[in-house]
Amino acid sequence: MADGVISVEKIKAFWHSQVHDPDKWDLNKKLLRAVGLFAGSIVLMRQYEQPTKRKAHKGGAPPMASPSRSVFPFIFMLFLVGCSARSLYPLPSRRHNGNRQPLQTFRPYNIAHRGSNGEIPEETTAAYKKAIEEGTDFIETDILASKDGVLISFHDVILDDTTDIDEHPEFIDRKRTYEVQGLNRTGYFTVDFTLKELKSLRVKQRYPFRDQQYNGKFSIITFEEFISIALDANRVVGIYPEMKNPVFINQRVKWSGGKKFEDKFVETLKKYGYRGSYMSEQWLKRPAFIQSFAPTSLIHVSNQTDLPKILLIDDTTTPTQDTNQSYWEITSDKYLDFIKEYIVGIGPWKDTLVTASNNYLRKPTDLVARAHAHNLQVHPYTFRNENQFIHFNFSQDPYREFDYWLNEIGVDGLFTDFTGSLHQFQEWTSPLSTGERDANRLLDKIVFMISKFKLKKLV
Amino acid sequence: MASQSIVPFIFLLLVAWCSARPLYPLPSRRNDRNKRPLQTFRPFNIAHRGSNGEIPEESAAAYMKAIEEGADFIETDILATKDGSLICFHDVNLDDTTDIVHHKEFANRKRTYEVQAVNITGYFTVDFTLEELKSLRLKQRYPFRDQQYNGMFSIITFEEFISIALDAPRVVGIYPEIKNPVFINQRVKWSGGKKYEDKFVETLKKYGYKGSYMSKEWLKQPAFIQSFAPTSLIYISNLTNLPKLFLIDDVNIPTQDTNQSYWEITSDNYLDFIKEYVVGIGPWKDNMVPVSGNYIETPSDFVARAHVQNLQVHPYTFRNENEFLHFNFSEDPYNEYDYWINKVGVDGLFTDFTGSLHQFQEWTSPFLSREEDAHKLLDKIALLISKFKHA
């Protein structure tokens, strides 16, 4: 009996991999079409054979009924094959998909925190596309849910700070007060709006000191739309979605079949072919990190996917929302030893890694060292260019801050609002070598060096 | 008879002995002849009032930090005290950058004067002797910058400023400004009928600053003299051939001495006239590239016209804080440097953040003079070759 069950699973998995994996499906549809044509042509040939045979035997008029009866299923099958099979040639914009520039893995990851939102409002298509343009390795998002169970890219549980919800009188009666992570919050919650209603809102820039000119232009996007932005890029760009406020979401939103927020989350990833453990071949084709502040959610999804997971760590005064553990407990060696079975790294708030006093950084804590000792990566958040976020040691210079964290502390990835600046810093100090351009520059440098000696001789 | 001629001889010996200095150079100065020269292949990094992102402006510490961070020139504003000493200080009044309000002994020195047609009330440097000014302590001008050095440093004199530059381990130029000369000459009188501008040049000459732009003498001790007042610059042209820079204020502020408007002094006609006396112009950067909605627009033709007249352009002032950065630059000061150096093509930049500008220039147009560069090159060549070997 057990064997039988396993093989059903295997069949399901096989079906999944053959139908839902775009690369395999490409091949399969071609095969299907070929088979369909082959079978169809055989049937057609047999149709035309039969009447002549009968003619030879009986010498009478051939009955029309029998050919037409067997033609119908043939035509139907052709229809079926014709409609389900896609074009044999790749779409012009996808022709080079096999040769996309791969993910860089030789220097710390540039993670576009909510997209590149220095000017453009966070978590919008435009912000993510800008981040990709600016050279990010991963685009990051926070996943919440709408009333009707659709997963959306949005950071706050409430809509007040980053949308124009106040300007929608039709929703004025939706204001509520809920308890979120032990605090009462009042506002318009995403879980009280259907996707259609959320789509009628417009996003705005969170910080007043950032550019306001794009307010009202963009709308909230879904998890699937976010994924398609990454897949559509002309080089390999990873995704870094967060299971945000899972405790709260699961309280407010119910899915059919007893599924939870985390299940739908992983389902969406699998639907688009995201799978594979860290640095595996499949993972490198579609890189992804799953992040969350809630350890039980990460442990729950460990059974469903082997994509790498990151445990986010909040401030020292905030306990975990699901297990109510303190910062000190979840950063202890014992806990890291336990959680490392499920995660590949941690994402702490940068001011807890190196404490600050009078706006000057002091000595680093040992958390990075201990995490690295447990073979866990460290991806601190969040780096911003504005001087109010930069400690005085760095002379209001974001590049000095990058330099400190990447070269002195030695972290493995950085969440930043300013993708372009981090990319520029990395390109200047640890560039991808580009072959020919570097070779020409080297030749110029050699000539320059030699010319100095020649001049000296003349003197 | 013998004793009579010995006494003057002994006296002479004493005099010679006291005035002569040691025959050997001081240990810290042994390499003076081999100081790394001023770089002249890329735009000048001018430390505006020193590196004052953290340290209060125009203090010894700010200037030393700027030199450490790689400045080409340290910039200062020269004003005068009641007893005619030249000091490094930017404002005519002491209120914003010193602890004058905490000094009860000076409470009765508050005055109201007209400076460039505006009435200003406060404690003016011209009402204090040097000794009194030295009893004050500097503080950081901007509240959002580090306040921890407030009360630690005092005002320095022009001569002390010069000695900081001369004492550096490499050649560092100076960039002093003849500041508010009209006001100073009204309030302070020097003996011998000398004016403020005369004392200014005297001090420079005393320390050996001379020579036209890019001459051998100039390269040993580089200096630019800057001022908003064209007559002062013309006046000192007779006293020194050090290069001079004409500063240009905002569009609505006329020159303090000739009362000419911004439009007049930026016209081709005027540039044609002033280029006999100055090697360059120092405008406010937002007048060269206009701003709208905190986005910069198309540059005006000013830089192009200045360059045509063979005049350098050194705009002021570049700061890292996002409130000073226009949105085009994504709150990234390096993007701003990139724009001004590579797109607009200026010849020097006044910045409060010497280190950032230096880092930008080092990353994008570095020196190629060091041995480590040679070794890095060899490594790169080996790497390139090895790729082919494997292929």
Side-chain angles (χ1 to χ4, degrees):
Chain A
M1 284 302 288
D3 278 330
V5 171
I6 289 172
S7 59
V8 166
E9 284 303 309
K10 276 199 176 156
I11 290 168
K12 271 195 187 168
F14 181 70
W15 175 256
H16 234 274
S17 71
Q18 293 306 311
V19 174
H20 285 167
D21 182 323
D23 300 324
K24 289 260 170 70
W25 176 244
D26 263 339
L27 194 65
N28 290 335
K29 65 169 154 67
K30 287 182 195 163
L31 277 173
L32 250 178
R33 236 190 123 135
V35 164
L37 277 169
F38 183 66
S41 54
I42 290 196
V43 170
L44 191 67
M45 279 196 297
R46 296 196 62 188
Q47 287 307 309
Y48 280 114
E49 266 181 39
Q50 281 176 15
T52 49
K53 273 194 192 155
R54 288 210 187 124
K55 241 189 179 169
H57 278 295
K58 292 189 177 161
M64 289 308 291
S66 48
S68 59
R69 251 186 277 130
S70 41
V71 162
F72 268 124
F74 159 65
I75 292 176
F76 180 67
M77 198 164 64
L78 267 185
F79 252 120
L80 203 69
V81 173
C83 294
S84 60
R86 275 169 273 175
S87 47
L88 283 170
Y89 52 84
L91 293 170
S93 65
R94 297 293 190 108
R95 215 172 288 143
H96 298 288
N97 261 359
N99 300 330
R100 290 202 292 177
Q101 192 196 325
L103 182 74
Q104 73 78 19
T105 49
F106 77 96
R107 63 189 189 202
Y109 295 123
N110 180 340
I111 308 160
H113 181 249
R114 306 185 207 167
S116 176
N117 60 40
E119 282 72 60
I120 303 176
E122 60 187 49
E123 313 234 10
T124 54
T125 305
Y128 289 124
K129 286 188 146 162
K130 181 164 186 240
I132 293 175
E133 242 179 71
E134 289 182 331
T136 190
D137 298 322
F138 286 85
I139 46 175
E140 189 258 2
T141 189
D142 309 89
I143 302 299
L144 290 173
S146 65
K147 185 170 173 186
D148 44 348
V150 181
L151 299 184
I152 53 167
S153 290
F154 202 77
H155 180 267
D156 302 345
V157 277
I158 53 173
L159 299 159
D160 306 46
D161 293 330
T162 53
T163 70
D164 62 350
I165 185 73
D166 309 341
E167 292 161 35
H168 287 255
E170 66 272 27
F171 297 133
I172 201 159
D173 58 337
R174 305 279 187 102
K175 206 164 192 168
R176 300 278 180 279
T177 304
Y178 293 135
E179 188 184 307
V180 185
Q181 276 181 256
L183 283 172
N184 276 336
R185 307 276 301 271
T186 304
Y188 299 91
F189 288 79
T190 67
V191 294
D192 290 333
F193 291 77
T194 63
L195 178 67
K196 189 158 167 216
E197 290 168 337
L198 289 175
K199 282 285 191 183
S200 73
L201 304 177
R202 291 291 172 266
V203 176
K204 70 178 185 189
Q205 175 55 255
R206 177 189 293 273
Y207 297 109
F209 47 80
R210 288 192 184 167
D211 196 1
Q212 303 296 313
Q213 71 160 328
Y214 299 104
N215 292 357
K217 298 205 170 153
F218 307 115
S219 51
I220 299 174
I221 59 175
T222 62
F223 192 6
E224 303 203 13
E225 287 165 345
F226 167 80
I227 288 174
S228 64
I229 295 171
L231 294 177
D232 214 32
N234 59 0
R235 57 184 176 89
V236 172
V237 174
I239 59 170
Y240 210 126
E242 177 184 343
M243 293 188 284
K244 194 125 189 109
N245 290 105
V247 174
F248 178 74
I249 299 283
N250 280 322
Q251 280 170 353
R252 303 269 153 222
V253 184
K254 303 294 171 204
W255 283 268
S256 60
K259 295 213 166 158
K260 298 207 299 172
F261 174 49
E262 295 88 334
D263 302 315
K264 305 300 287 177
F265 187 95
V266 176
E267 231 174 69
T268 316
L269 287 172
K270 285 187 168 174
K271 178 173 170 190
Y272 287 88
Y274 281 93
R275 64 181 189 289
S277 55
Y278 183 58
M279 289 297 213
S280 64
E281 218 190 292
Q282 314 154 310
W283 186 83
L284 285 168
K285 271 198 234 159
R286 266 185 222 164
F289 282 100
I290 300 175
Q291 45 167 338
S292 189
F293 283 97
T296 53
S297 302
L298 293 171
I299 295 171
H300 177 88
V301 302
S302 302
N303 298 325
Q304 303 172 358
T305 174
D306 48 0
L307 283 171
K309 300 153 202 74
I310 299 276
L311 175 65
L312 296 170
I313 302 179
D314 213 327
D315 211 349
T316 52
T317 52
T318 308
T320 54
Q321 51 185 281
D322 49 352
T323 57
N324 202 33
Q325 286 165 302
S326 74
Y327 170 88
W328 311 107
E329 196 179 332
I330 60 174
T331 55
S332 64
D333 275 327
K334 195 151 163 250
Y335 191 83
L336 292 180
D337 214 24
F338 154 70
I339 200 73
K340 76 177 189 226
E341 298 304 315
Y342 304 97
I343 60 174
V344 304
I346 54 172
W349 164 225
K350 65 178 167 83
D351 273 357
T352 59
L353 286 182
V354 185
T355 51
S357 159
N358 282 332
N359 206 9
Y360 270 85
L361 287 185
R362 303 289 155 190
K363 282 173 71 163
T365 62
D366 62 356
L367 182 54
V368 177
R370 289 190 293 111
H372 282 163
H374 283 95
N375 216 14
L376 291 168
Q377 298 197 21
V378 181
H379 298 173
Y381 61 91
T382 306
F383 293 82
R384 299 179 170 98
N385 281 6
E386 286 96 352
N387 58 292
Q388 64 186 271
F389 299 115
I390 301 180
H391 298 299
F392 283 139
N393 317 56
F394 303 122
S395 299
Q396 282 94 307
D397 185 343
Y399 288 63
R400 286 216 195 158
E401 197 185 26
F402 294 143
D403 188 38
Y404 175 78
W405 285 94
L406 291 176
N407 298 321
E408 273 190 53
I409 301 291
V411 296
D412 312 282
L414 294 167
F415 288 93
T416 176
D417 282 356
F418 290 90
T419 317
S421 301
L422 178 54
H423 184 70
Q424 191 144 266
F425 172 78
Q426 290 190 304
E427 282 292 294
W428 280 337
T429 55
S430 51
L432 296 170
S433 62
T434 47
E436 203 179 276
R437 188 182 79 193
D438 267 8
N440 280 328
R441 274 208 259 169
L442 266 176
L443 284 174
D444 286 340
K445 280 191 176 179
I446 294 167
V447 168
F448 180 74
M449 271 167 62
I450 295 173
S451 69
K452 277 200 265 187
F453 286 105
K454 273 211 312 219
L455 275 168
K456 265 200 171 172
K457 252 190 164 179
L458 286 169
V459 169
Chain B
M1 289 300 283
S3 61
Q4 263 181 317
S5 39
I6 280 184
V7 172
F9 168 64
I10 291 174
F11 181 67
L12 194 69
L13 265 184
L14 268 171
V15 171
W17 187 45
C18 294
S19 60
R21 269 167 277 172
L23 284 169
Y24 51 85
L26 294 169
S28 67
R29 296 292 191 109
R30 215 171 288 143
N31 289 323
D32 260 8
R33 226 160 284 160
N34 300 328
K35 280 211 259 193
R36 171 140 70 100
L38 182 75
Q39 72 79 18
T40 50
F41 76 97
R42 61 189 189 204
F44 294 125
N45 181 340
I46 308 161
H48 181 250
R49 306 186 206 166
S51 177
N52 60 41
E54 281 71 61
I55 303 176
E57 60 186 50
E58 314 235 6
S59 56
Y63 289 122
M64 289 171 99
K65 180 162 187 245
I67 293 174
E68 239 180 74
E69 289 183 329
D72 297 323
F73 286 85
I74 48 176
E75 188 259 2
T76 188
D77 310 88
I78 302 299
L79 289 174
T81 65
K82 186 169 172 187
D83 45 346
S85 293
L86 298 185
I87 52 165
C88 292
F89 203 76
H90 180 268
D91 301 345
V92 277
N93 57 331
L94 300 158
D95 305 51
D96 293 328
T97 52
T98 69
D99 62 350
I100 183 70
V101 291
H102 297 302
H103 287 256
K104 300 198 181 59
E105 66 272 27
F106 300 132
N108 60 347
R109 305 279 186 102
K110 207 163 188 168
R111 299 281 179 277
T112 303
Y113 291 136
E114 187 185 305
V115 185
Q116 279 183 252
V118 174
N119 275 338
I120 300 182
T121 303
Y123 299 90
F124 289 80
T125 67
V126 295
D127 291 333
F128 292 77
T129 63
L130 179 64
E131 200 186 328
E132 290 168 337
L133 288 178
K134 282 285 191 180
S135 72
L136 305 177
R137 291 290 172 267
L138 294 171
K139 69 176 186 187
Q140 174 56 254
R141 178 189 292 274
Y142 297 108
F144 47 79
R145 288 191 185 169
D146 195 0
Q147 303 296 313
Q148 73 161 328
Y149 298 105
N150 292 357
M152 290 191 182
F153 307 116
S154 51
I155 298 174
I156 60 174
T157 63
F158 193 6
E159 304 204 10
E160 287 164 346
F161 169 80
I162 288 173
S163 64
I164 294 171
L166 293 177
D167 214 32
R170 57 183 176 87
V171 171
V172 174
I174 59 170
Y175 212 127
E177 178 183 344
I178 304 175
K179 196 134 188 96
N180 290 105
V182 174
F183 178 74
I184 297 286
N185 279 323
Q186 280 170 352
R187 303 270 152 224
V188 185
K189 304 296 172 200
W190 284 269
S191 61
K194 296 213 165 157
K195 295 209 297 178
Y196 169 49
E197 293 88 335
D198 298 310
K199 304 301 285 178
F200 188 97
V201 175
E202 232 175 69
T203 317
L204 288 172
K205 284 186 167 175
K206 177 176 172 186
Y207 287 87
Y209 282 92
K210 59 187 189 289
S212 57
Y213 182 61
M214 288 299 215
S215 64
K216 221 167 131 191
E217 315 155 298
W218 186 83
L219 286 168
K220 272 199 236 156
Q221 266 171 241
F224 281 100
I225 301 175
Q226 46 169 339
S227 189
F228 282 97
T231 54
S232 302
L233 293 171
I234 295 171
Y235 178 79
I236 62 171
S237 300
N238 300 323
L239 306 173
T240 173
N241 53 357
L242 283 171
K244 301 155 202 71
L245 202 99
F246 180 43
L247 296 169
I248 300 182
D249 213 327
D250 212 349
V251 295
N252 53 356
I253 300 183
T255 54
Q256 52 186 279
D257 49 349
T258 59
N259 203 30
Q260 286 165 299
S261 73
Y262 171 88
W263 311 107
E264 197 179 333
I265 58 177
T266 55
S267 65
D268 275 331
N269 230 352
Y270 192 83
L271 292 181
D272 207 29
F273 157 69
I274 202 71
K275 74 177 190 229
E276 299 303 318
Y277 304 97
V278 303
V279 304
I281 313 281
W284 164 226
K285 66 179 167 78
D286 275 353
N287 287 337
M288 292 209 298
V289 184
V291 177
S292 165
N294 206 11
Y295 271 84
I296 51 172
E297 316 254 291
T298 323
S300 71
D301 62 356
F302 184 75
V303 177
R305 290 191 291 112
H307 282 163
V308 156
Q309 307 270 16
N310 218 11
L311 290 166
Q312 298 196 20
V313 181
H314 298 176
Y316 61 91
T317 307
F318 294 83
R319 298 178 169 103
N320 282 4
E321 286 96 353
N322 59 291
E323 66 186 87
F324 300 114
L325 294 169
H326 301 302
F327 283 139
N328 314 57
F329 304 124
S330 300
E331 281 102 303
D332 185 340
Y334 289 61
N335 287 343
E336 195 186 30
Y337 292 140
D338 187 39
Y339 176 78
W340 285 92
I341 292 176
N342 296 321
K343 296 241 165 61
V344 183
V346 297
D347 313 283
L349 296 106
F350 289 94
T351 177
D352 283 356
F353 291 90
T354 318
S356 303
L357 178 54
H358 184 69
Q359 190 136 275
F360 172 79
Q361 291 189 303
E362 282 291 296
W363 280 337
T364 56
S365 51
F367 284 127
L368 285 176
S369 57
R370 287 177 301 240
E371 205 179 272
E372 50 172 273
D373 266 7
H375 282 135
K376 271 201 252 178
L377 269 175
L378 285 172
D379 287 339
K380 279 193 177 176
I381 294 167
L383 182 71
L384 274 178
I385 296 172
S386 71
K387 278 196 256 184
F388 284 105
K389 268 213 310 213
H390 284 152

